[in-house]
Amino acid sequence: MTPTTPGAARVELAIGGMTCASCAARIEKKLNRMEGVEATVNYATEKARVAYAEDVSVDDLIATVEATGYSARRPAPPRPGPGDTDGRGDGPAEDEPVDTELRSLRQRLVTATVLAVPVIAMAMVPALQFTYWQWLSLTLAAPVVTYAAWPFHRAAWTNARHGAATMDTLISVGTSAAFLWSLWALFLGTAGTPGMTHPFAFTIGRSDGAGNIYLEAAAGVTAFILAGRYFEARSKRKAGAALRALMELGAKEVTVLRDGREITLPTAGLEVGDRFLVRPGEKIATDGTVVEGSSAVDVSMLTGESVPVEVAAGDSVTGATLNAGGRLVVEATRVGADTQLARMAALVEEAQSGKASAQRLADRISAVFVPVVMVLALATLGYWLGSGAGLTAAFTAAVAVLIIACPCALGLATPTALLVGTGRGAQLGILIKGPEVLENTRKADTILLDKTGTVTTGRMTLMEVHTAGSTDETEVLRLAGALEHSSEHPIARAVAEGAAATVGTLPVPEDFANVPGLGVQGVVDGRAVLVGREKLLGAWAVELPEGLRAAKEEAERNGRTVIAVAWDGEARAVLEVADAVKDTSAEAVRRLRALGLTPVLLTGDNKAVAESVAAQVGIDEVVAEVLPQDKADVVRGLQAQGRSVAMVGDGVNDAAALAQADLGLAMGTGTDAAIEAGDLTLVRGDLRVAADAIRLSRRTLGTIRSNLFWAFAYNVAALPLAAAGLLNPMIAGAAMAFSSVFVVGNSLRLRGFRAAG
């Protein structure tokens, strides 16, 4: 967001009371009308990001939001938690209001469900209609329509004050009309007569409505729609989890060197200029410069670079990366919110807050449907009064319009399709986060694929062995593998694992030494063996023969890492090591193309490696050598071209891009930060599942749309009958029951979804 005034202050407000995307739009509109204010309000995260001029205060902003009918508060004060490396805190303070709201919604849902079930059963099963059943129905339905449905009534009142109509208006008006009419029929009409029943009489005829109650409609609709709201709120509750997951990746404690002593401190206690110790296998606590030692650092989680980076004194290192080799002493250069990890967390937060949530289709329909129903109800009342039918008959017809307009099936339309669709997805290893996700699967036309860990395995693998002269390949692997087995370096592990898979048990070296930055040397079976870079062989005056040199140069052109092997003073072989492409990636790319998506390979790795991988899987567009903080910019650039972008990734470096993308698909084998930032999670590390996930999401969206159509269609069809005063309560009940059965049955068809063979 660009401030309206140079140097404008910024604040993020927590917004309460929003029930749909139109609420967020209303608040945003009000804030932006203030002089010197520019705001974006996100319904999914329930936050407003505001830039404001000097003559505007935060209190003014909060007052404007409250005048619009919603609540606003400043961000919770920092409360340091475990792994708090940015000084902002990740304790539970920020979650407490959300937890309270979710708990309240859960209590209302449980209340509504427990009380509504017997009300519906008594209304629909004549055998259960004992002498005073209608009074028991009233006793059970009253708390549902008042306490459980209170959020809908409150939202409807807020909407009415601002001349708006949403789904909440429809629910509130319909349930209130059904309940109030039932009260009138029970106390002033004939419905309260002992022994009153609702018979199965499917006849159309005029009635004064005095003997009909609609408590099951009021209670049932409330329970169904509360269930949908509860599950939606649960998915929204996780909106901030990506940030916490990112910050948890940092080291929790650090060993600081002070006055010649080693002191263990929480990472938050580090200061710029402190020198700290990083042992093999430990995470680097913060961004800094190496002052002692040398090692290989695994930076793939932050940069996507598949080959570990060799560092020595004078080199920069990044917090949260893994020291895979020797002992390092690092001087801290950036701490807290200045670190690369904290800046990436800020990028994720900005991307999440800036991504507009898809407005629910039901709200868009309700914005037109509700006013039409209101006008029709008033017109019906006026017509029957004008025709001399009498006050009771006129009110019966008008209220019948309002009752039939409250679609019972609408409460089932989205939750049932989501329940079945997400359940089937879980069986196939696909986790769908919420209804907002589905709309974006339909629009997506471009899919960015992260390379490391998504298209490739994410770990170094021995790919090829080139030998010189009559040298036996098995012997090369046996000797090189034995020596590399003693090293912790990721490339060494790749050679050792590849050798063990080919020759079986490896011999134990009689002597071993690690040569930092070059490789390893030692004695195996009485032979002096060298395994490493060409420089290591050069130090022993050993040169590569022409054949091996040509193989080395060709492998390097393809972006592979090359290791030379020599023994007894002679170069014997070169080994190619690379991040191997997954067996299923090429087929996955074909499936994604079949869905109308254009694949683009996105990676922080070098261009040669990226183009080699792209050629293997059939991708034409490549964006390589991209820094972690720039991946989200690549997504924004494609969006600026008018593309709807899906993104598949698995690393911390992908989190901001996943959040920025119109549709984020996170590999479940990746980091928590990536998973939380994504919209869809692919439990297995198989890229083919991405195509299945998009197909399932599109199918689920189609089911929701057809459910919504039929939920409204039955009610629209019955409105003329209600307006004509011909609405029989059993026909109304049967229509609602049938529409509900239809919606559930339509949703259950999703159980037949199959992954592509």
Side-chain angles (χ1 to χ4, degrees):
M1 181 181 68
T2 306
T4 54
T5 307
R10 296 169 186 254
V11 69
E12 186 173 81
L13 300 176
I15 307 296
M18 293 191 295
T19 58
C20 61
S22 57
C23 297
R26 194 174 305 127
I27 298 168
E28 188 172 300
K29 188 176 179 181
K30 288 283 188 182
L31 286 171
N32 285 325
R33 281 180 179 171
M34 297 176 68
E35 188 69 31
V37 172
E38 185 172 335
T40 57
V41 181
N42 188 287
Y43 169 60
T45 59
E46 297 185 329
K47 290 180 180 178
R49 293 171 69 88
V50 189
Y52 58 98
E54 291 179 3
D55 56 345
V56 179
S57 70
V58 176
D59 289 336
D60 294 334
L61 300 173
I62 292 174
T64 299
V65 175
E66 290 176 343
T68 313
Y70 305 89
S71 66
R73 60 182 175 83
R74 289 181 174 86
R79 182 181 298 186
D84 181 11
T85 58
D86 65 349
R88 296 186 304 175
D90 59 358
E94 189 176 328
D95 287 343
E96 284 170 3
V98 181
D99 287 338
T100 302
E101 181 185 343
L102 197 64
R103 188 162 54 247
S104 171
L105 197 53
R106 183 168 58 242
Q107 289 169 350
R108 294 179 195 276
L109 173 60
V110 171
T111 301
T113 304
V114 170
L115 298 180
V117 168
V119 173
I120 296 169
M122 285 187 287
M124 295 299 172
V125 183
L128 298 178
Q129 294 173 4
F130 58 91
T131 305
Y132 295 103
W133 72 274
Q134 67 271 47
W135 297 103
L136 177 60
S137 289
L138 176 63
T139 305
L140 296 175
V144 178
V145 178
T146 53
Y147 164 72
W150 175 246
F152 305 132
H153 302 318
R154 182 179 57 207
W157 171 244
T158 301
N159 292 331
R161 284 169 49 205
H162 295 91
T166 66
M167 183 66 200
D168 293 303
T169 309
L170 186 60
I171 298 164
S172 179
V173 169
T175 54
S176 297
F179 184 72
L180 293 173
W181 183 262
S182 300
L183 284 179
W184 182 89
L186 284 168
F187 288 99
L188 300 176
T190 59
T193 306
M196 184 278 286
T197 60
H198 276 175
F200 279 104
F202 292 99
T203 57
I204 295 178
R206 291 208 174 98
S207 163
D208 65 2
N212 303 327
I213 60 173
Y214 298 92
L215 294 171
E216 78 284 356
V221 167
T222 300
F224 285 135
I225 296 182
L226 271 175
R229 290 285 170 87
Y230 173 69
F231 291 115
E232 183 182 26
R234 275 187 62 184
S235 67
K236 276 173 35 181
R237 182 181 181 274
K238 296 180 179 178
L243 305 180
R244 289 191 293 276
L246 264 174
M247 300 319 303
E248 282 296 317
L249 288 169
K252 307 297 185 291
E253 293 184 335
V254 59
T255 303
V256 182
L257 302 176
R258 287 182 180 165
D259 301 325
R261 295 185 301 120
E262 296 182 2
I263 304 171
T264 302
L265 298 173
T267 306
L270 266 178
E271 298 176 0
V272 173
D274 277 343
R275 293 192 174 192
F276 59 93
L277 179 65
V278 189
R279 299 180 180 87
E282 289 184 345
K283 288 180 180 178
I284 296 172
T286 193
D287 299 358
T289 304
V290 178
V291 292
E292 288 181 30
S294 60
S295 180
V297 176
D298 183 353
V299 296
S300 59
M301 62 187 295
L302 283 178
T303 66
E305 183 74 35
S306 53
V307 181
V309 176
E310 301 286 346
V311 297
D315 292 331
S316 297
V317 290
T318 306
T321 54
L322 185 68
N323 178 19
R327 176 184 183 274
L328 297 175
V329 175
V330 179
E331 183 175 310
T333 56
R334 288 196 295 252
V335 297
D338 294 329
T339 64
Q340 185 169 340
L341 184 66
R343 288 205 299 269
M344 287 178 67
L347 281 172
V348 172
E349 185 173 19
E350 184 178 342
Q352 282 186 333
S353 299
K355 186 168 71 173
S357 174
Q359 186 175 11
R360 290 181 303 163
L361 183 60
D363 275 314
R364 295 204 294 272
I365 296 173
S366 298
V368 177
F369 187 67
V370 175
V372 169
V373 169
M374 297 292 191
V375 170
L376 182 59
L378 290 172
T380 300
L381 178 65
Y383 173 80
W384 286 109
L385 285 174
S387 66
L391 189 62
T392 301
F395 270 101
T396 298
V399 173
V401 169
L402 294 177
I403 291 170
I404 198 62
C406 191
C408 185
L410 190 62
L412 291 168
T414 300
T416 54
L418 272 178
L419 186 65
V420 180
T422 54
R424 182 62 186 141
Q427 292 174 338
L428 299 173
I430 302 162
L431 304 181
I432 302 171
K433 284 198 173 176
E436 307 87 8
V437 172
L438 304 176
E439 185 75 25
N440 295 326
T441 63
R442 184 179 63 84
K443 297 176 182 175
D445 54 33
T446 301
I447 186 161
L448 287 173
L449 304 175
D450 171 57
K451 181 186 75 69
T452 307
T454 302
V455 176
T456 65
T457 61
R459 64 180 186 275
M460 304 304 287
T461 305
L462 178 62
M463 306 296 291
E464 296 282 347
V465 179
H466 303 277
T467 58
S470 59
T471 304
D472 180 51
E473 181 178 319
T474 303
E475 184 70 359
V476 170
L477 290 174
R478 202 173 72 85
L479 297 177
L483 210 55
E484 294 282 47
H485 187 67
S486 300
S487 173
E488 291 298 319
H489 197 288
I491 292 177
R493 286 201 299 270
V495 173
E497 288 170 5
T502 302
V503 304
T505 305
L506 299 171
V508 178
E510 296 144 35
D511 186 31
F512 170 83
N514 180 50
V515 184
L518 294 179
V520 293
Q521 61 190 43
V523 178
V524 182
D525 288 348
R527 291 173 171 172
V529 183
L530 302 172
V531 184
R533 297 186 178 185
E534 188 178 357
K535 284 183 181 179
L536 178 63
L537 273 65
W540 291 82
V542 177
E543 293 187 3
L544 290 178
E546 192 57 39
L548 292 184
R549 183 172 298 282
K552 172 180 177 291
E553 290 171 354
E554 174 65 21
E556 287 176 340
R557 276 195 296 273
N558 291 328
R560 293 183 172 181
T561 300
V562 180
I563 300 161
V565 181
W567 64 77
D568 295 342
E570 188 177 336
R572 309 286 181 163
V574 291
L575 313 178
E576 293 184 28
V577 175
D579 182 7
V581 173
K582 293 178 181 176
D583 297 336
T584 58
S585 292
E587 184 185 347
V589 169
R590 285 195 296 273
R591 291 186 187 179
L592 291 168
R593 284 188 187 278
L595 290 170
L597 297 164
T598 302
V600 179
L601 190 68
L602 178 67
T603 180
D605 228 333
N606 68 68
K607 193 170 184 180
V609 173
E611 289 180 344
S612 173
V613 170
Q616 291 179 60
V617 298
I619 295 176
D620 301 324
E621 290 186 57
V622 176
V623 182
E625 299 175 11
V626 181
L627 295 173
Q629 57 268 33
D630 295 336
K631 284 194 173 184
D633 291 335
V634 172
V635 175
R636 277 190 283 268
L638 290 169
Q639 289 169 332
Q641 296 173 20
R643 299 202 204 183
S644 181
V645 181
M647 164 82 186
V648 187
D650 75 324
V652 178
N653 58 311
D654 303 318
L658 286 168
Q660 176 63 40
D662 299 293
L663 177 69
L665 297 93
M667 304 295 276
T669 51
T671 63
D672 289 344
I675 291 169
E676 295 295 352
D679 300 309
L680 294 165
T681 299
L682 315 178
V683 176
R684 303 197 307 273
D686 187 343
L687 189 58
R688 290 178 300 182
V689 181
D692 290 333
I694 291 173
R695 280 200 308 118
L696 175 60
S697 296
R698 288 178 177 178
R699 181 86 60 86
T700 305
L701 176 65
T703 301
I704 289 174
R705 287 173 174 272
S706 61
N707 282 352
L708 289 170
F709 170 78
W710 286 108
F712 276 105
Y714 278 105
N715 298 93
V716 169
L719 279 173
L721 289 177
L726 300 174
L727 185 66
N728 179 287
M730 278 316 301
I731 290 180
M736 283 196 289
F738 186 73
S739 63
S740 298
V741 170
F742 181 90
V743 162
V744 172
N746 192 38
S747 298
L748 288 174
R749 293 191 307 121
L750 287 168
R751 293 172 63 183
F753 178 86
R754 295 282 181 270

